[in-house]
Amino acid sequence: MAAPDSPPQFDLFEARPEPSRHRVGRKPHVPTPEQMLIAHELKAAGATWPTIARALGVCVNTVARHYFPSTVASPPKGRRRHAPTPATRKIVRRAILGGMPVAKVAKLIGVSVPTLRLHYSHELRA
């Protein structure tokens, strides 16, 4: 048996201990129904996110992420969907009747040529 002051002895052929599978850091925040109620009541009363965070004992980012996710959601990717209006239809009709090329008409109303052909086919035939 080794003396208490000596370093531990290791057997080189012994199996190594299993590494820990625990995640480091804080546990993920899971809001309780009571916390949700408090947060939404404070928000309805006009409280700011820092005030709500102090009342709940969490940071401002946690309030934004877990209690009001729709207000910090990222905007949708890609272009906005084009919706023709009576005014844009009138512009397209006048430009085509005036002899303007399709590419210039598309640029005029801020769409691509395929989008112009898709949404304004009736006006392009005029």
Side-chain angles (χ1 to χ4, degrees):
M1 183 155 191
D5 295 338
S6 66
Q9 299 295 320
F10 295 102
D11 184 0
L12 294 177
F13 299 107
E14 198 173 304
R16 291 184 178 181
E18 281 294 315
S20 175
R21 301 256 186 242
H22 298 330
R23 293 182 66 183
V24 287
R26 295 182 181 205
K27 293 180 184 175
H29 180 74
V30 180
T32 63
E34 293 82 21
Q35 289 174 319
M36 290 293 282
L37 182 65
I38 291 168
H40 286 280
E41 284 177 349
L42 287 172
K43 184 69 175 170
T48 62
W49 284 3
T51 305
I52 296 169
R54 279 192 298 276
L56 297 173
V58 296
C59 71
V60 176
N61 289 338
T62 302
V63 170
R65 183 174 185 181
H66 293 284
Y67 295 93
F68 305 104
S70 61
T71 58
V72 291
S74 61
K77 306 288 185 225
R79 294 183 182 184
R80 285 182 294 141
R81 205 179 163 107
H82 179 71
T85 63
T88 56
R89 289 191 184 281
K90 187 176 181 180
I91 292 169
V92 170
R93 192 177 311 113
R94 280 188 166 174
I96 292 296
L97 289 175
M100 189 180 283
V102 173
K104 282 194 174 188
V105 175
K107 195 170 190 174
L108 178 69
I109 63 169
V111 297
S112 66
V113 173
T115 302
L116 180 74
R117 288 196 171 117
L118 175 69
H119 293 289
Y120 299 93
S121 61
H122 187 330
E123 288 78 6
L124 292 175
R125 281 188 249 131

